[in-house]
Every structure is written in structure tokens, then in C-alpha cells.
Amino acid sequence: MENNIKDNILDSLAEAVFTVDKEFKVTFINNVAEKILGIKREEVIGNYCKNVFQSELCSVTSPIASVLKTGKSILRWNPLCRVKME
């Protein structure tokens, strides 16, 4: 039941949101992300992030990996210079 509450909250956001586990498998994608990307959550849940989004943001040098490794939030990220913005 706790996941349903979290899912409902994430689905109510106006921003696209997806979550991954420590193996970079997609565990959740909200309604906005589905609409923007033109994909259905049933098609992506359980698949590797890199296969779904075709993005470097799903690699071991990504902000997602940094958060998973350190447990600390990243407020801003500049993908062009690959340096964490403070």
C-alpha cells in the first residue's frame, strides 16, 4: 500500500519522473513521463534505463549513479561540463 501512495504522489506531479534501482532498472515512470516520451510504463518497468531512454544519464558516471552511490541529492547538474553544480 505504501508504494501506491508514493506512486499516486509522483503521478500527480507536473514534471516527468522516473525511478531506477541500484542496477539501473526502471522501477517507476509517472504519467507525465509516459506522455512526453510516448511510452507506456508497462513497456519499461523492469528494463534497464539505458535501453529505455538511450541516454548517458543511465551510466555509472551519471547524476543518478552519484545519488545511488552517495545517498546525497544533486540540486543542479550541468551535463555539458559533467561537473556537479553547487
Side-chain angles (χ1 to χ4, degrees):
M1 179 149 138
E2 185 177 325
N3 279 342
N4 282 339
I5 293 169
K6 290 178 188 175
D7 291 355
N8 288 337
I9 292 169
L10 294 174
D11 266 334
S12 70
L13 298 175
E15 293 84 13
V17 176
F18 71 93
T19 60
V20 298
D21 62 16
K22 291 186 180 202
E23 295 177 353
F24 286 89
K25 289 185 179 179
V26 178
T27 57
F28 176 83
I29 181 170
N30 74 348
N31 293 328
V32 175
E34 282 184 297
K35 288 177 187 173
I36 289 172
L37 298 168
I39 56 178
K40 297 286 183 196
R41 69 181 66 185
E42 299 83 29
E43 298 169 357
V44 299
I45 302 294
N47 290 310
Y48 287 101
C49 176
K50 66 181 178 183
N51 296 337
V52 173
F53 301 107
Q54 304 296 310
S55 171
E56 289 184 24
L57 292 178
C58 298
S59 69
V60 295
T61 59
S62 71
I64 295 170
S66 177
V67 170
L68 289 172
K69 183 177 179 180
T70 66
K72 296 182 181 179
S73 297
I74 296 174
L75 299 178
R76 291 180 288 173
W77 181 266
N78 184 340
L80 298 177
C81 68
R82 307 223 188 261
V83 175
K84 186 170 31 171
M85 306 292 284
E86 297 296 333

